[in-house]
Amino acid sequence: MGSASKQSNKPGGKQQPADRRARIAELRAAEQRRDRRNKIIASVAAGVLVIGAIATGTWIVMDQNQKKKDKEAAANADIPGVRTFGELSRTHVKEKVTYPMTPPVGGDHNAIWADCMAHVYDQPLENERAVHSLEHGAVWVTYNGKATPDDIKLLSDKVKKTPYSMMSPYPDEQGTITLNAWSTQLTVDSASDPRVEEFFTKYVQGKQTQEPGASCTMGQM
């Protein structure tokens, strides 16, 4: 009797295991919901990254295509003041050549070119070697004593970052600054003239190049 009386005083004794099971089930359900939520967040984040990568890739391709179109348009655009000299001879010679234009932009020339891989010279070049560089698609920037220090710096900075270009003083030229490519020439009064940039864009390895891809290194002054 006494034992039965003690058990009757614990009304919750038989319910405790059921409560624990319910609590465990509730925790597991909460954990499953959390896992599902994390998977959804991860999927959304991955989707955003994929979409971003696609958008970035698309933008890069579009930007490259636009730059290509801009370069093609620049290559076909006329530049005011540019003079051309038609077909010019390309024979290698050892002797000095008398050229019909100053500076020369084509004709017979030395078998060894002047280094034109973004090279800035502080002394005049041999005409015959410079002309050979033009044959390879280089732009040759020349200037006389009228060019200011600012002009020279601007042009030097441009040449130093432009493969297939070179620069040197040319005291005998009439114009302050002359831009030279094969059979092509432009004279400007200032390095800030927008046609300078246009000339580089159009004529560095441009359509006038007689030997596309030919080396501009390992030359001589």
Side-chain angles (χ1 to χ4, degrees):
M1 292 293 291
S3 176
S5 175
K6 290 180 181 179
Q7 289 177 1
S8 63
N9 290 333
K10 298 179 181 179
K14 294 182 180 181
Q15 297 178 0
Q16 288 178 0
D19 289 345
R20 283 197 298 273
R21 287 194 295 273
R23 179 58 179 163
I24 290 171
E26 182 180 346
L27 292 174
R28 285 178 177 173
E31 184 176 1
Q32 290 173 349
R33 289 194 297 272
R34 184 167 57 252
D35 288 343
R36 286 195 296 270
R37 183 171 62 251
N38 290 340
K39 288 179 181 179
I40 292 172
I41 292 172
S43 297
V44 171
V48 170
L49 289 174
V50 170
I51 292 172
I54 293 173
T56 300
T58 301
W59 181 86
I60 290 173
V61 170
M62 291 176 64
D63 184 57
Q64 290 175 340
N65 289 340
Q66 186 59 50
K67 287 181 179 178
K68 183 179 179 181
K69 290 179 180 178
D70 291 344
K71 186 171 180 61
E72 289 175 351
N76 294 320
D78 292 331
I79 302 175
V82 166
R83 293 179 294 163
T84 56
F85 299 88
E87 294 292 330
L88 300 172
S89 61
R90 297 170 53 198
T91 304
H92 289 176
V93 297
K94 294 181 179 179
E95 65 273 11
K96 290 293 183 180
V97 179
T98 300
Y99 293 101
M101 73 292 287
T102 304
V105 293
D108 295 345
H109 51 269
N110 194 283
I112 301 175
W113 56 92
D115 191 308
C116 48
M117 191 58 71
H119 203 119
V120 175
Y121 297 88
D122 59 6
Q123 297 294 325
L125 293 173
E126 286 188 33
N127 284 333
E128 293 76 16
R129 297 193 193 281
V131 168
H132 194 157
S133 299
L134 301 186
E135 185 182 43
H136 289 190
V139 162
W140 178 26
V141 180
T142 58
Y143 60 94
N144 63 19
K146 297 177 184 177
T148 67
D150 287 343
D151 287 330
I152 295 172
K153 184 179 187 310
L154 282 172
L155 294 169
S156 296
D157 290 344
K158 178 64 177 177
V159 168
K160 287 177 181 178
K161 63 182 182 182
T162 308
Y164 284 90
S165 74
M166 59 186 183
M167 175 177 169
S168 68
Y170 205 103
D172 296 336
E173 69 179 33
Q174 291 185 349
T176 304
I177 298 163
T178 309
L179 306 174
N180 307 280
W182 183 268
S183 190
T184 309
Q185 194 169 74
L186 173 67
T187 301
V188 297
D189 294 327
S190 169
S192 60
D193 190 311
R195 292 176 296 169
V196 172
E197 184 68 29
E198 294 171 6
F199 195 94
F200 270 80
T201 300
K202 183 168 184 174
Y203 293 110
V204 170
Q205 285 284 281
K207 293 180 179 180
Q208 85 291 341
T209 302
Q210 301 299 298
E211 297 180 1
S215 176
C216 236
T217 61
M218 305 300 292
Q220 295 183 9
M221 186 174 176

